Amino acid sequence: MIEERFDAIVIGAGMAGNAAAYTMASRGLNVLQLERGEYPGSKNVQGGILYADMLEKIIPDFREEAPLERHLIEQRFWFMTDRSHTGMHYRSDDFNEERPNRYTIIRSQFDRWFNKQVQAQGAIVISETTVTELVSDAYGKVIGVRTDRSGGTVFADVVVLAEGVNGLLGARAGLRPTPKAEHVALAVKEMHFLPRETIEARFNLHGDEGVVIEAAGTISKGMTGMGFVYTNKESISVGFGCLVSDFAANEETPYGMLENFKTHPSIAPLIEGSEVKEYAAHLIPEGGYKTIPELFGDGWVVVGDAAQLNNAIHREGSNLAMTSGRLAGEAIFQVKSRKDPMTKQNLALYKKLLDDSFVMKDLKKYKDMPALLHTQASNFFLDYPTLVSKAMENFLRVDGTPKIEKEKASVRAFRQKRSLTGLVGDAWRLARAWR
C-alpha cells in the first residue's frame, strides 16, 4: 500500500480522528489517516451539535469557513406523556454573541470540511480503506496496521484508534472489551426539509438563530431513552434513541419509536409539511465513566466514542471527542519531540492530560447517573412524567371542582403509581448521583 513509515496512523475521520490528525499534522508530524467510508463524513448523514470552544482550541478561526447551520439561543427540555408535555426552556439574547457557543451542523458536510483542514496541514488521508487488524512486534507493541488493500500493511510509531463505539479493531486486538448492549444506545434520525422562513416562524427565530428540544418520558415506553429536535437553516433533525438492551428486551423497533415521537401532538406541528430526505442510525456510548476502557498502551491510544467518552447526562459527545483527539495528538507530539519511544509508560501522558481536562472531571462527577437511570427507567420515564402531567392538568383545568378534591385526586394517583418511600428513595439516589 504505502512503503513510507509514519509518525502516526489515525483510524477514523470523525470528530476525534480529525482532531487528533490535525493536531499532529499541524505540529509537523508525518500522519496517515484511514477512513473506511467513501469520504470523511459519508457515514454521518445527519445533524448534530458543535461546541465551539473545543474546536477553537484546534482551529481558532473555524467560523470563517466551516459549514455551520444555526447558533443556538434556546434550549427546551420536555417531560412528555403520550398527549402532553411539561417543559422548561432557557432562551437568552446573550447567545447572539459575536462568537457563539453552540451551533447545529450537518455532520456529513462538517466532517468533510474538517478533514480538508487536516489535509491542508500535510496529513495523508485515504478513504474507502478498512483497517482489518493491528500489526504488533514480537513484544506486543503496536507498530502499524493491515488494511483491505493489496499490500496493505503500513507502519507507524503509534496508532490512534478513533473508530467509533462499535469499531471492532480494538476489540479484536484485545485492547478494549466489546461494549455491552446496556452501555450503548441506538439513535435514529431523520432530516425534515422545510423553507427557512417556515422554520423561523415555527420556532420564533431570526436570522441564523437556532433551537434545540430534548424530550423524555412515556414516549420511550419505560425504556431509557429520549427524543430530540435540532433546527438547521433549511431542515429539522428529528431523532430518537434508546439503549440497545432495552430495544431487545421490549421488542420495540427504533424506527417505530421515532414514528411515535414524530406524531406526538407536541412534535407533529413542528414538522408538518416537511419533506424527509435522509434517515440514518448511529450507536452512542452511554455507560459513562465506569465503562471507559484502558486508553493507551505500547504503540496505541484510543479516543472519542471508541473510548466510551460520552456525557450522556448532558448529551455531550462531539466536544469530548474533539478534546480527546486533540489531547492525544498533543501527548504524541510531546513524546515524539523528546525523541522517546511510543511506549505505554510514555503514552500515559495522554491519560494525564485527559484527567486534567473537563472530560474526565465531568464523567467522573456523574459516574453513578447512567446506572441509576438505566435501573430505574420505569420510574423516571413512565411514572413520574405521568404524575407531573396529571398534577399540571389538575392545576390548570377550571371546571367547578373544588381545589381540595383535585389535590386529593392527585395524591391518590401518586399513591397508585409510587409509594412515598419509593419517591424519597429515588430522589435521594438522584441527588447523590448529581452531587
Side-chain angles (χ1 to χ4, degrees):
M1 181 177 170
I2 299 178
E3 296 183 0
E4 180 181 2
R5 183 183 181 90
F6 292 87
D7 293 322
I9 295 174
V10 178
I11 302 171
M15 291 287 198
N18 283 334
Y22 184 98
T23 299
M24 292 185 289
S26 65
R27 287 160 172 75
L29 298 190
N30 189 16
V31 178
L32 172 66
Q33 187 176 26
L34 301 174
E35 163 61 33
R36 63 185 175 88
E38 181 181 356
Y39 57 84
S42 63
K43 303 189 302 299
N44 295 320
V45 299
Q46 298 298 318
I49 296 178
L50 173 73
Y51 301 89
D53 180 75
M54 291 72 199
L55 184 56
E56 268 187 321
K57 288 181 171 60
I58 303 168
I59 307 176
D61 58 351
F62 76 91
R63 292 179 180 85
E64 296 179 8
E65 296 182 357
L68 307 172
E69 290 294 305
R70 294 181 178 272
H71 67 274
L72 297 173
I73 66 161
E74 182 178 333
Q75 179 87 30
R76 303 177 189 176
F77 301 95
W78 287 359
F79 216 29
M80 304 184 84
T81 64
D82 293 343
R83 294 187 55 78
S84 71
H85 79 262
T86 305
M88 59 175 287
H89 69 265
Y90 181 75
R91 182 183 180 114
S92 175
D93 195 53
D94 288 343
F95 288 131
N96 280 315
E97 52 202 332
E98 183 178 353
R99 303 167 71 85
N101 180 253
R102 297 191 303 162
Y103 298 86
T104 53
I105 57 173
I106 307 298
R107 281 291 303 273
S108 60
Q109 299 174 11
F110 180 84
D111 287 6
R112 201 168 191 174
W113 170 85
F114 198 174
N115 191 256
K116 286 182 179 179
Q117 314 314 303
V118 173
Q119 296 178 52
Q121 297 301 316
I124 296 176
V125 179
I126 302 179
S127 299
E128 297 184 280
T129 302
T130 300
V131 178
T132 57
E133 63 179 325
L134 298 176
V135 178
S136 302
D137 63 16
Y139 302 98
K141 181 180 183 297
V142 173
I143 58 173
V145 301
R146 188 166 290 113
T147 73
D148 59 354
R149 290 176 176 263
S150 177
T153 301
V154 191
F155 297 99
D157 294 334
V158 64
V159 174
V160 179
L161 295 166
E163 53 179 344
V165 63
N166 59 331
L168 299 176
L169 193 60
R172 287 173 179 169
L175 306 183
R176 63 186 183 100
T178 300
K180 296 180 179 179
E182 60 267 30
H183 295 153
V184 179
L186 176 60
V188 290
K189 301 180 185 179
E190 289 181 346
M191 292 285 276
H192 290 251
F193 285 80
L194 285 165
R196 179 173 183 144
E197 57 271 19
T198 300
I199 294 173
E200 291 168 5
R202 289 181 182 180
F203 289 89
N204 188 25
L205 301 172
H206 302 281
D208 287 337
E209 296 174 342
V211 170
V212 165
I213 301 172
E214 295 177 328
T218 64
I219 50 173
S220 63
K221 301 183 179 180
M223 301 187 294
T224 302
M226 65 183 304
F228 47 91
V229 176
Y230 303 152
T231 56
N232 304 311
K233 288 181 178 178
E234 297 182 337
S235 65
I236 300 174
S237 299
V238 183
F240 198 92
C242 282
L243 292 179
V244 172
S245 57
D246 281 350
F247 277 129
N250 292 274
E251 298 183 347
E252 296 285 351
T253 64
Y255 188 74
M257 299 294 287
L258 177 58
E259 283 297 307
N260 182 58
F261 180 60
K262 286 161 46 184
T263 57
H264 190 281
S266 297
I267 300 296
L270 300 177
I271 57 176
E272 182 180 2
S274 63
E275 181 181 4
V276 181
K277 292 186 178 181
E278 295 178 352
Y279 171 86
H282 180 63
L283 290 174
I284 303 171
E286 294 278 336
Y289 183 81
K290 294 183 178 181
T291 62
I292 296 174
E294 192 164 18
L295 298 175
F296 60 96
D298 285 331
W300 62 272
V301 298
V302 59
V303 298
D305 284 0
Q308 300 288 305
L309 299 179
N310 181 68
N311 189 336
I313 305 306
H314 290 87
R315 285 82 55 204
E316 295 177 11
S318 65
N319 54 336
L320 280 71
M322 286 187 290
T323 300
S324 64
R326 174 177 63 83
L327 294 179
E330 290 179 357
I332 291 169
F333 171 73
Q334 289 188 41
V335 173
K336 188 71 175 179
S337 63
R338 296 195 301 261
K339 298 183 179 180
D340 290 336
M342 295 294 171
T343 61
K344 182 175 183 178
Q345 180 179 2
N346 290 330
L347 289 173
L349 175 61
Y350 162 52
K351 178 64 162 50
K352 181 183 184 304
L353 294 176
L354 204 57
D355 286 342
D356 291 340
S357 74
F358 78 93
V359 175
M360 287 302 198
K361 291 178 180 178
D362 284 354
L363 292 177
K364 189 173 183 179
K365 176 177 174 61
Y366 303 112
K367 64 181 184 298
D368 296 323
M369 186 66 76
L372 173 62
L373 294 180
H374 299 170
T375 57
Q376 304 292 327
S378 179
N379 297 346
F380 292 112
F381 297 95
L382 278 181
D383 293 348
Y384 298 150
T386 302
L387 291 169
V388 169
S389 177
K390 188 61 179 177
M392 291 302 299
E393 182 180 357
N394 284 342
F395 183 81
L396 296 171
R397 186 182 291 278
V398 178
D399 55 8
T401 303
K403 297 296 187 289
I404 186 66
E405 292 184 17
K406 290 190 174 187
E407 291 170 3
K408 289 180 179 179
S410 294
V411 172
R412 285 196 300 271
F414 162 73
R415 285 174 175 170
Q416 291 173 357
K417 289 288 185 180
R418 295 286 295 164
S419 70
L420 180 60
T421 302
L423 176 61
V424 171
D426 284 341
W428 180 78
R429 286 187 288 269
L430 193 64
R432 285 197 63 189
W434 271 101
R435 70 182 183 182

